[in-house]
Amino acid sequence: MFPVSPEKEKLLAAKLDSLGIHEKDLQELFVRSQGKGGQNVNKVSTCVYLKHLPTGIEVKCQKSRSQGLNRYYARVLLFEKIERLIKGRESEEKQRIEKIKRQKRKRSKRAKEKILAEKHLQSKKKAERSYSINNE
């Protein structure tokens, strides 16, 4: 179907099935691309426009000069967008929890030593400033 390896094609199909995205739910249009690509881009409609009808999510892809590759990339983009929409709420909560865990986690010995070394340098600078002011 797409000019990619059969493994990539099967992987994409499995991903789309996992989210319940079916080919019959997709509206696919081909539009003329713009930009780099020369005569091929100007003559052939290589840009792919995909719309997932149940969610209304739209994707436009003109990553490659070939229409077949753009069809593949458009489906990958659509999958990522829908996945972000579905799993986004879950991942936001997960990210918030992970951030709190990182903040509460104890520092490693090496990190503590590094911070202490910086503090010692700063204190030396301050001590030298006060010494030179008092002597003058």
Side-chain angles (χ1 to χ4, degrees):
M1 186 173 158
F2 304 113
V4 292
S5 66
E7 294 87 35
K8 281 187 176 181
E9 203 170 314
K10 286 178 186 174
L11 188 66
L12 177 65
K15 284 181 178 181
L16 293 175
D17 284 341
S18 70
L19 289 182
I21 303 169
H22 306 289
E23 284 294 322
K24 64 179 182 191
D25 296 337
L26 300 178
Q27 179 185 3
E28 188 173 39
L29 297 172
F30 302 104
V31 188
R32 290 236 171 109
S33 296
Q34 293 178 345
K36 296 177 183 174
Q39 190 175 11
N40 179 60
V41 164
N42 297 330
K43 288 173 70 177
V44 184
S45 298
T46 54
C47 181
V48 177
Y49 166 85
L50 265 183
K51 182 175 183 178
H52 187 241
L53 298 173
T55 57
I57 293 178
E58 300 173 347
V59 171
K60 199 173 187 182
C61 182
Q62 59 181 35
K63 206 174 194 179
S64 167
R65 285 178 59 186
S66 79
Q67 189 182 73
L69 269 179
N70 283 335
R71 289 181 71 207
Y72 173 78
Y73 290 136
R75 281 165 174 74
V76 171
L77 284 172
L78 184 75
F79 166 77
E80 289 171 355
K81 265 191 168 184
I82 292 176
E83 186 181 41
R84 260 188 262 127
L85 180 75
I86 293 171
K87 297 185 178 178
R89 295 175 189 93
E90 298 170 15
S91 66
E92 285 172 9
E93 182 67 19
K94 204 179 254 187
Q95 285 175 351
R96 189 183 66 79
I97 291 168
E98 288 297 319
K99 183 179 179 183
I100 292 169
K101 281 183 183 177
R102 280 195 307 273
Q103 288 172 343
K104 290 184 176 182
R105 188 171 54 204
K106 287 188 177 179
R107 287 196 176 100
S108 67
K109 194 172 186 178
R110 189 173 178 185
K112 284 181 189 176
E113 288 171 0
K114 192 175 177 183
I115 291 170
L116 281 175
E118 289 290 323
K119 283 186 173 184
H120 287 303
L121 282 175
Q122 192 65 26
S123 67
K124 279 183 183 178
K125 284 183 198 173
K126 284 191 170 189
E128 288 171 3
R129 283 186 211 144
S130 64
Y131 180 73
S132 62
I133 293 171
N134 292 337
N135 284 345
E136 291 176 5

